[in-house]
Amino acid sequence: NLPRKNIEEINRSIRMFDDEGRPEPRYTEWQASVQMWSEKPLLGVGLGNYQSQIGMNYGFLPVKEGPKEPDHNNLFLVFGSSTGLLGLLGLFTMLLLWFQRAIHGFFSSRPQDENSGGALVRILSLGAIGAIVGFCAASIWTALLVRGVFLVFVIIVAAAIGCKKNLPRQS
């Protein structure tokens, strides 16, 4: 049941304004997140306080009446407004470290050496690289940390990183 008018669907999913010139709800939410973050840029409003604080920060863009698109938060804006710049830098550092370790696992393993499990490490590392890139891309459009997806994501990355450490060394 995938849409057949893919270009139109992509355009609809990223456009800032609807056909009547009103802002799309996701950008209204994002604007409120940026506004909330700007009030406490270094430390944010605190973990778990996003929902209780976001309502006070709407106002620059009109809020659409009627049913809203579910889960249209930007994870990075939610994280930044909740934990501030320091927390967001911590999240980016963690993601970059995992990405670097997955890349290292992929390129430091030789797939032809079956005794060392090199092919397994390369496969798991490639999966972790894809998971990290996919997680970051999807997080622009929804907050994946609160959807239970993050646990599976961590397991995928941990399997790739841990597999390299536990395999016999090549001589």
Side-chain angles (χ1 to χ4, degrees):
N1 293 337
L2 292 174
R4 296 293 173 221
K5 299 176 181 177
N6 294 329
I7 299 299
E8 290 176 28
E9 290 299 318
I10 290 171
N11 180 39
R12 188 184 64 74
S13 74
I14 62 172
R15 69 183 181 191
M16 291 190 73
F17 299 96
D18 63 14
D19 295 333
E20 286 84 38
R22 292 184 304 254
E24 290 289 340
R26 104 175 20 91
Y27 296 107
T28 305
E29 181 83 18
W30 293 7
Q31 172 270 313
S33 295
V34 170
Q35 172 64 27
M36 183 167 52
W37 188 6
S38 70
E39 292 175 7
K40 295 183 179 181
L42 193 59
L43 297 175
V45 296
L47 285 173
N49 292 325
Y50 180 83
Q51 287 301 325
S52 65
Q53 300 292 318
I54 193 69
M56 296 178 260
N57 292 284
Y58 290 103
F60 296 107
L61 297 174
V63 178
K64 180 181 174 184
E65 296 298 322
K68 310 277 189 294
E69 177 185 350
D71 304 323
H72 55 267
N73 298 341
N74 178 314
L75 170 72
F76 303 114
L77 290 177
V78 170
F79 210 81
S81 60
S82 298
T83 64
L85 182 61
L86 295 178
L88 189 60
L89 286 175
L91 176 67
F92 283 139
T93 301
M94 179 181 70
L95 291 170
L96 285 172
L97 177 65
W98 286 352
F99 189 75
Q100 181 268 331
R101 290 180 77 178
I103 291 279
H104 181 272
F106 181 80
F107 286 111
S108 67
S109 301
R110 295 186 334 213
Q112 64 273 18
D113 190 358
E114 292 181 23
N115 295 335
S116 71
L120 176 64
V121 172
R122 288 176 68 92
I123 290 168
L124 287 172
S125 296
L126 199 56
I129 291 165
I132 294 166
V133 169
F135 178 83
C136 290
S139 292
I140 294 170
W141 307 109
T142 188
L144 292 177
L145 283 179
V146 297
R147 297 289 161 240
V149 175
F150 196 65
L151 179 59
V152 175
F153 172 68
V154 168
I155 290 170
I156 291 169
V157 173
I161 293 170
C163 182
K164 175 72 175 156
K165 290 180 181 178
N166 295 325
L167 289 174
R169 301 237 180 238
Q170 299 174 6
S171 37

